[in-house]
Amino acid sequence: MKHRGKAGVAGARPAAKAETSRPFRFRDALKALGPGLITGASDDDPSGIGTYSQAGAQLGYGIGWTMLLTFPLMAAIQEISARVGRVTGHGISGNVCRHYPAWLLHVVVTLLFIANTINIAADLGAMADASKLLIGGHSIVYVLLFGVTSVAAQIFLDYKRYVSVLKWLTLSLFAYVAALAFAKVSWGEALAGVLVPRVSWSADYFTTIVAILGTTISPYLFFWQASQEAEDQRVDATKRPLIEKHYGARREFYRIRADTIIGMAFSNLIALSIIVTAAATLHASGKTDIQSSAEAAEALRPIAGAFAEAIFALGIVGTGLLAIPVLAGATAYAVGEGRRWPVGLARKPKEAAAFYAVLALSAGIGIALNFTPINPISALYWSAVINGVLAVPVMVLLMFMARRKDVMGRFVVGGPLYWLGWLSTGAMILSVVAMGVGFLVK
């Protein structure tokens, strides 16, 4: 018996060794990540790139500390959003419609629809301008091309293949890491800017901080990640909402945490790269008035060269192709779940016609806004205002929801994560108050 046991163990070792010595494959690592990666990457959309470029151009390296501050705040609120989706099997709207007054749901969803649609319009405009910089042509043609392609892909592509496409699109964000190679960065100053907060008591400084917070912690990201966790359960027959099937909850929470932390760290790393690039080039040369991401790309040419401009512009197009489906999808999930329609990108168009109609409507209005005389920068500004105002009640709702036993069962959120979520909510409330004070001063 002993001899057979030893032989059995000895025979098992080569297999174990073969398994552990399997070479690292980036494709496998990417497959292991889920909604958190896509959510984090989509946060660096073209309008966000414009905000980060403007921050770096205006304030230089000294504003880098905001990325260190926002990382734990956005990671906490996104993890709570994901837990709500995984535990209940419903997104945020789906839970609001089941546990809160109808008027509250209507206000939240209406504001989200408006903000996301304006954001889609601004992102399409930025992508079109970036494409025009790269290859010339008419902006409006690119607006139509990118808008229609994004909607068609969401409606007609197989869900798993579509999610895979979105994951691969996250690689476009490395364009901003590559852009650093063309900037003469003072790494000592850049590191000091990240680790040592330098506060300037001016209206412009605090307006920029509010803009960064509003861009980094956006309501559509909460809705998207919660809904994607619920969607993954509908796609995978072996999964059930944790409130129904408790087994494996700890493993699922570890996965959600790892996925969210990696996604948000990636998002903030890219945002920091954009800030440092703008500080080292635009701020250093005295060009501090940047109004959009495309303008930032164009401004890099005389300072860092045509290749840096091209890399920056390509990044804008890639991030836009990632962000527009998330914006339109988050809107469709919010409306559809609130109305208790069949929802989900895994469903065929005939199975979820109303869901896809909302998705197409939001994107369609975003496309149409580019044909109007509305200033895209002004539209983006008001989108940020709506997002900031909307974030507060949504985050408060989310925090209360995460503690309700009739919603979360035995999986109510507690401990450090819970208090970090409230800290994130408090920071957002302060930023909205500061924004309101700024309006009054003006």
Side-chain angles (χ1 to χ4, degrees):
M1 290 293 290
K2 284 183 180 178
H3 179 74
R4 276 198 298 268
K6 283 180 182 177
V9 171
R13 277 175 188 164
K17 186 176 179 183
E19 189 176 338
T20 54
S21 62
R22 183 181 176 180
F24 171 82
R25 292 177 63 198
F26 186 80
R27 184 189 292 270
D28 293 340
L30 200 63
K31 279 182 180 178
L33 298 173
L37 176 68
I38 296 170
T39 302
S42 66
D43 192 32
D44 295 318
D45 67 331
S47 56
I49 292 163
T51 299
Y52 300 133
S53 299
Q54 192 173 38
Q58 284 184 342
L59 302 170
Y61 299 117
I63 199 68
W65 64 271
T66 55
M67 292 298 101
L68 204 60
L69 171 71
T70 57
F71 170 60
L73 301 182
M74 70 186 295
I77 205 71
Q78 288 300 145
E79 182 179 338
I80 291 168
S81 301
R83 283 194 181 206
V84 167
R86 183 66 187 91
V87 169
T88 66
H90 303 292
I92 293 173
S93 274
N95 281 295
V96 172
C97 79
R98 286 168 173 81
H99 301 283
Y100 293 92
W103 67 264
L104 183 60
L105 174 71
H106 295 152
V107 169
V108 167
V109 170
T110 300
L111 286 174
L112 184 77
F113 185 96
I114 294 168
N116 286 4
T117 300
I118 294 172
N119 216 327
I120 288 170
D123 283 354
L124 284 170
M127 292 163 70
D129 289 343
S131 300
K132 194 174 177 180
L133 277 177
L134 287 168
I135 54 178
H138 295 286
S139 294
I140 211 67
V141 174
Y142 296 122
V143 166
L144 285 168
L145 176 66
F146 292 135
V148 171
T149 300
S150 295
V151 173
Q154 282 184 291
I155 295 174
F156 298 112
L157 270 186
D158 172 74
Y159 175 73
K160 288 185 178 179
R161 183 174 295 178
Y162 183 66
V163 169
S164 177
V165 168
L166 291 183
K167 284 183 183 179
W168 281 108
L169 276 173
T170 63
L171 297 179
S172 64
L173 288 168
F174 282 110
Y176 298 106
V177 178
L180 283 172
F182 298 91
K184 294 179 180 178
V185 179
S186 172
W187 292 107
E189 285 186 52
L191 186 61
V194 173
L195 299 177
V196 183
R198 282 181 281 172
V199 179
S200 172
W201 299 97
S202 67
D204 286 346
Y205 187 87
F206 284 105
T207 301
T208 302
I209 289 178
V210 170
I212 288 172
L213 269 172
T215 300
T216 308
I217 303 173
S218 296
Y220 76 89
L221 301 175
F222 317 153
F223 283 86
W224 172 263
Q225 191 163 354
S227 294
Q228 283 298 288
E229 284 292 340
E231 178 82 350
D232 283 352
Q233 293 168 53
R234 286 191 289 269
V235 173
D236 189 343
T238 64
K239 284 186 177 181
R240 297 293 302 159
L242 292 178
I243 200 168
E244 298 175 12
K245 183 183 176 184
H246 301 159
Y247 179 75
R250 182 175 292 183
R251 185 176 65 250
E252 283 296 280
F253 289 151
Y254 281 146
R255 175 192 61 78
I256 286 170
R257 176 161 294 177
D259 184 28
T260 302
I261 287 175
I262 290 170
M264 301 310 127
F266 182 47
S267 172
N268 279 33
L269 175 66
I270 300 305
L272 182 61
S273 298
I274 295 166
I275 289 172
V276 170
T277 299
T281 53
L282 307 179
H283 182 80
S285 64
K287 188 168 182 60
T288 59
D289 186 25
I290 298 297
Q291 295 297 314
S292 69
S293 52
E295 196 175 314
E298 194 169 16
L300 283 177
R301 176 184 279 269
I303 303 162
F307 200 58
E309 177 196 35
I311 289 173
F312 213 85
L314 279 170
I316 292 166
V317 174
T319 57
L321 288 171
L322 175 65
I324 287 170
V326 174
L327 284 159
T331 304
Y333 276 116
V335 174
E337 287 175 357
R339 304 289 297 176
R340 302 200 187 193
W341 295 336
V343 300
L345 295 171
R347 297 183 191 272
K348 301 292 184 187
K350 286 183 180 179
E351 296 171 358
F355 168 79
Y356 285 114
V358 172
L359 189 152
L361 178 65
S362 181
I365 295 172
I367 293 170
L369 286 174
N370 281 276
F371 288 84
T372 68
I374 295 172
N375 184 324
I377 304 303
S378 177
L380 191 59
Y381 176 79
W382 285 107
S383 170
V385 171
I386 296 169
N387 265 321
V389 172
L390 176 60
V392 171
V394 172
M395 290 171 83
V396 170
L397 257 177
L398 194 57
M399 294 311 299
F400 282 127
M401 195 185 293
R403 288 293 280 185
R404 287 181 60 158
K405 286 196 173 183
D406 60 335
V407 177
M408 300 289 285
R410 65 168 72 177
F411 301 113
V412 291
V413 175
L417 177 63
Y418 177 70
W419 295 112
L420 199 53
W422 273 117
L423 184 62
S424 179
T425 305
M428 204 66 214
I429 291 170
L430 283 175
S431 75
V432 171
V433 169
M435 186 167 59
V437 170
F439 277 124
L440 292 174
V441 170
K442 285 183 179 180

